Amino acid sequence: MNTKLKCLLLDDELPGLTYLKMLCEQIPELEIVKTCNDPEKLLSDFSNLDFDLLISDIEMPGIDGLHLAEKLQDKLVIFCTAYKEYAAEAFNIDAVDYITKPVKLERLQKAIAKALERFEKSDSSKKFIQLNTDKGKTLLYFNKIQYIKTAISDSRDKSVLLTDGSFLNLKNVKFDTLLNELPETDFCRVNKKEIVAVKAIKFFNHNEIVLHHLDENNKNTTLILSETYRSDFLKKVKI
């Protein structure tokens, strides 16, 4: 595999940035394009930079890593931070991985392998599906989906929870139609009324699935894992 990821490194603390660069130089799949200790400067230079992956700290002055990543469109992002509490937010914006400091080479290599896999998949496969909604046609991007459920108002319709927390109402579409279009490794039906994106899962057990998403009561959304779909689901999430 000869693919190299063009990589930006961002950390406002120079010792951390130097250490991260030293680790990345030991990973053959990476080509370091730029190192930076100022997130606002990096954002201003963004349009002039050719890169595939950003490896970034989160808590930084000016603009934090989460908000910066949201502005980088479809670029891959790995977070390296001393703080564990931002993990849910990181995966809600579709981060490739979340590493807590101190960063170790083996852990970083695993994250890079994930990034490379996603990069090669996105480079060669369909990224969205065109569907009818109650407001007209939409391009539903696969990486923006957290889960899909039968709409309460009409069982022929489906309601999609997006990564920004909003819902989209799809008109007159069957689950089988959606499953035929969605990337098979990234989505799984969990019961008669719901499909979940694997990346959206925080915890699961034999009977239920807990998502990173928080509902209006600030509680994690929980889905039932039915017996009919349990075996297929467990195969999808098996490490």
Side-chain angles (χ1 to χ4, degrees):
M1 191 179 295
N2 298 319
T3 305
K4 273 187 177 283
L5 291 174
K6 295 177 181 178
C7 180
L8 302 183
L9 307 180
L10 174 63
D11 194 322
D12 63 306
E13 296 182 354
L14 285 175
L17 185 62
T18 302
Y19 176 67
L20 181 61
K21 182 174 183 289
M22 182 268 292
L23 292 180
C24 288
E25 286 173 341
Q26 298 177 60
I27 301 176
E29 295 83 7
L30 288 183
E31 176 188 336
I32 301 169
V33 175
K34 184 180 180 66
T35 62
C36 186
N37 68 336
D38 184 341
E40 292 187 329
K41 177 70 165 58
L42 183 64
L43 188 59
S44 68
D45 292 344
F46 165 65
S47 59
N48 298 318
L49 295 170
D50 178 20
F51 71 101
D52 309 306
L53 170 68
L54 169 67
I55 303 178
S56 175
D57 194 4
I58 290 184
E59 283 202 356
M60 295 177 289
I63 179 171
D64 65 58
L66 292 165
H67 288 96
L68 175 68
E70 287 180 323
K71 296 177 182 294
L72 297 188
Q73 301 167 5
D74 293 327
K75 301 297 184 182
L76 301 169
V77 179
I78 293 170
F79 289 112
C80 294
T81 176
Y83 304 93
K84 295 180 179 180
E85 61 265 31
Y86 299 110
E89 291 177 74
F91 288 113
N92 275 342
I93 60 171
D94 205 26
V96 172
D97 211 338
Y98 188 95
I99 304 172
T100 51
K101 295 178 179 179
V103 182
K104 295 183 179 178
L105 180 58
E106 285 187 9
R107 180 67 182 86
L108 184 59
Q109 286 173 321
K110 287 181 180 179
I112 298 304
K114 288 183 185 178
L116 196 59
E117 182 180 359
R118 190 185 294 190
F119 177 76
E120 292 179 334
K121 185 184 296 184
S122 66
D123 200 41
S124 61
S125 65
K126 193 174 178 181
K127 297 180 181 180
F128 61 84
I129 179 176
Q130 180 177 294
L131 293 164
N132 293 319
T133 75
D134 52 355
K135 296 178 181 178
K137 292 187 180 295
T138 189
L139 299 180
L140 180 60
Y141 282 80
F142 303 142
N143 66 351
K144 301 299 182 185
I145 302 170
Q146 294 201 63
Y147 77 91
I148 305 170
K149 65 179 181 178
T150 300
I152 296 173
S153 56
D154 188 333
S155 61
R156 294 172 297 181
D157 297 346
K158 305 296 178 283
S159 185
V160 183
L161 173 65
L162 302 175
T163 52
D164 64 1
S166 66
F167 280 92
L168 188 64
N169 190 46
L170 306 177
K171 297 297 292 181
N172 197 21
V173 61
K174 296 179 179 179
F175 277 125
D176 286 345
T177 301
L178 292 170
L179 287 169
N180 284 336
E181 295 288 348
L182 294 169
E184 185 179 358
T185 57
D186 298 333
F187 292 87
C188 189
R189 193 164 183 179
V190 295
N191 57 57
K192 287 184 178 181
K193 296 185 176 183
E194 289 166 322
I195 293 171
V196 68
V198 174
K199 69 176 185 184
I201 299 168
K202 185 174 185 179
F203 306 115
F204 66 88
N205 58 38
H206 203 59
N207 298 307
E208 66 180 22
I209 298 162
V210 179
L211 305 186
H212 291 287
H213 176 255
L214 301 177
D215 62 21
E216 61 273 12
N217 297 316
N218 210 34
K219 293 183 178 180
N220 292 88
T221 299
T222 301
L223 312 180
I224 299 298
L225 177 57
S226 74
E227 184 177 355
T228 304
Y229 301 99
R230 185 177 296 131
S231 176
D232 185 47
F233 171 80
L234 293 175
K235 287 177 184 176
K236 288 275 176 73
V237 299
K238 187 176 182 181
I239 305 295

